[in-house]
């Protein structure tokens, strides 16, 4: 299955608790327990995903390894332990908020709403939210998604961006967002499968994930 693309620009960053740099904040907690907890994703290629041995790897994981080294030096704890915690897109912010993890090692779109509860690193990746559609589908722009089912990932910013775009271009928003029309999946690979098998004519994802999905389909 081959696909076509159209997109909107977004920024991605690594996420930590909002109080990470404050006295008694996250660094103090890490020092007290002697452990830093990293949240990682399983299918967020190329940022945070599992390799053939089920170990988390990727660009964001490499950055988090550098952060762990810096924390060890800052706290003077060379024996600081690292705990890896699997997370999903929909749970990454709540797990930061409740203290289950200290850092999200994966792409997270920096939004004003999220800045109210978590802190973001400098931008590590400039991406775009893309709608990937089947090559044989009569869809050339976001406006052509009117009344169509779009496969999305739970908790992703592509949901809000699709809503904003539909309002800006005056789609029939109610039909796009109603439960029978908008299908929200738990993982990016499920969204790609739905697109591949023709269950839905379009899929929303950021550029890295859409490219990875298309590459995987090309190799089939």
């Amino acid at each position: 299955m081959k696909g076509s693309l159209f997109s909107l620009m977004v920024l991605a960053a690594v996420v930590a608790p909002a109080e990470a740099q404050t006295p008694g904040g996250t660094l103090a907690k890490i020092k007290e327990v002697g452990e830093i907890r990293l949240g990682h994703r399983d299918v967020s290629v190329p940022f945070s995903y599992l390799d053939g041995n089920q170990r988390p790897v990727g660009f964001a994981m490499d950055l988090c390894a550098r952060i762990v080294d810096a924390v060890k030096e800052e706290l003077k704890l060379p024996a600081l332990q690292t705990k890896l915690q699997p997370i999903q897109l929909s749970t990454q912010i709540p797990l930061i908020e409740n203290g289950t993890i200290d850092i999200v090692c994966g792409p997270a779109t920096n939004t004003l709403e999220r800045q109210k509860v978590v802190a973001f690193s400098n931008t590590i990746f400039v991406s775009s939210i893309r709608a990937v559609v089947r090559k044989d589908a009569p869809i050339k722009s976001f406006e052509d998604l009117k009344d169509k089912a779009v496969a999305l990932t739970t908790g992703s910013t592509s949901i809000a961006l699709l809503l904003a775009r539909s309002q800006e271009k005056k789609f029939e928003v109610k039909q796009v967002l109603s439960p029978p029309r908008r299908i929200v999946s738990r993982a990016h690979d499920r969204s790609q499968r739905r697109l591949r098998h023709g269950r839905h004519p379009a899929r929303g994802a950021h550029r890295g994930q859409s490219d990875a999905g298309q590459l995987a389909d090309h190799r089939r």
Side-chain angles (χ1 to χ4, degrees), residues 84-139:
L84 298 175
Q85 172 71 43
I87 60 175
Q88 298 296 327
L89 180 60
S90 60
T91 63
Q92 60 183 4
I93 301 299
L95 291 178
I96 281 282
E97 288 187 89
N98 66 24
T100 301
I101 58 176
D102 301 309
I103 303 175
V104 171
C105 299
T109 305
N110 189 343
T111 68
L112 292 176
E113 189 65 25
R114 287 177 173 178
Q115 287 177 20
K116 296 176 182 178
V117 293
V118 297
F120 288 86
S121 70
N122 294 337
T123 299
I124 64 170
F125 187 72
V126 178
S127 185
S128 58
I129 295 295
R130 290 183 168 184
V132 185
V133 302
R134 292 180 60 89
K135 198 73 172 179
D136 55 2
I139 300 172

Side-chain angles (χ1 to χ4, degrees), residues 40-44 48-57:
H40 69 86
R41 306 265 287 280
D42 56 353
V43 292
S44 189
S48 181
Y49 60 98
L50 300 180
D51 65 10
N53 296 315
Q54 298 300 295
R55 295 177 302 187
V57 295

Side-chain angles (χ1 to χ4, degrees), residues 32 36 41 52 78-79 96 100 102 106 109 172 184 192 210 218:
E32 180 181 353
I36 183 169
R41 306 265 287 280
I96 281 282
T100 301
D102 301 309
T109 305
E172 293 184 19
V184 183
Q192 188 67 21
S210 65
H218 180 70

